[in-house]
């Protein structure tokens, strides 16, 4: 949970919520996609390590992780959902800007 909180804090600082709408939307979208990739990769790696724990300790008995992912990731999942919503918002804004430039 502490690592999740650290990643949330780092992603928030990287995205710069105060600055995200002040700059170019394309640049903001690039930063958002990068942050999402990092956040999702961490969760994928967590699940991979959890699933393949026996592979890392072949010479001894391994006690599997029995705690539910829901106990570790609730805040993290909510944060990822908010970043995805932000991505959708920026993508929609970019599309509207493109439509605004089209002349009929």
């Amino acid at each position: 949970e502490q690592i999740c909180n650290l990643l949330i804090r780092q992603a928030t600082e990287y995205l710069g919520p105060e600055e995200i709408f002040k700059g170019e939307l394309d640049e903001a979208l690039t930063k958002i996609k990068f942050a999402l990739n990092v956040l999702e990769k961490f969760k994928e790696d967590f699940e991979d390590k959890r699933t393949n724990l026996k592979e890392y300790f072949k010479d001894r008995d391994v006690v599997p992780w029995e705690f539910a992912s829901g106990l570790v990731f609730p805040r993290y999942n909510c944060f990822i959902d908010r970043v995805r919503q932000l991505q959708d918002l920026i993508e929609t804004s970019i599309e509207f800007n493109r439509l605004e430039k089209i002349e009929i």
Side-chain angles (χ1 to χ4, degrees):
E1 190 175 338
Q2 291 178 357
I3 294 173
C4 292
N5 290 338
L6 175 65
L7 287 170
I8 290 170
R9 197 169 339 138
Q10 289 297 110
T12 302
E13 287 177 22
Y14 173 72
L15 292 174
E18 305 83 24
E19 303 293 323
I20 205 144
F21 293 106
K22 292 181 182 177
E24 291 292 321
L25 292 176
D26 291 330
E27 291 174 15
L29 185 59
T30 302
K31 289 178 81 171
I32 290 168
K33 286 181 177 181
F34 179 76
L36 269 176
N37 285 337
V38 170
L39 294 168
E40 290 169 347
K41 180 68 174 153
F42 170 73
K43 196 168 176 187
E44 288 171 16
D45 285 348
F46 174 86
E47 290 300 332
D48 179 57
K49 300 304 183 247
R50 179 183 190 159
T51 304
N52 299 316
L53 194 58
K54 292 179 184 178
E55 301 286 324
Y56 302 105
F57 300 99
K58 294 180 181 178
D59 58 336
R60 56 185 151 171
D61 290 335
V62 176
V63 178
W65 294 348
E66 294 182 4
F67 54 87
S69 295
L71 297 175
V72 178
F73 292 109
R75 183 169 178 248
Y76 194 76
N77 290 337
C78 288
F79 181 76
I80 289 176
D81 289 341
R82 287 193 303 270
V83 175
R84 283 188 187 125
Q85 290 174 348
L86 183 58
Q87 179 182 5
D88 289 343
L89 178 67
I90 297 293
E91 288 173 344
T92 302
S93 295
I94 289 171
E95 287 300 315
F96 276 123
N97 285 342
R98 287 185 187 142
L99 288 173
E100 193 176 79
K101 294 176 184 176
I102 296 176
E103 292 184 25
I104 299 177

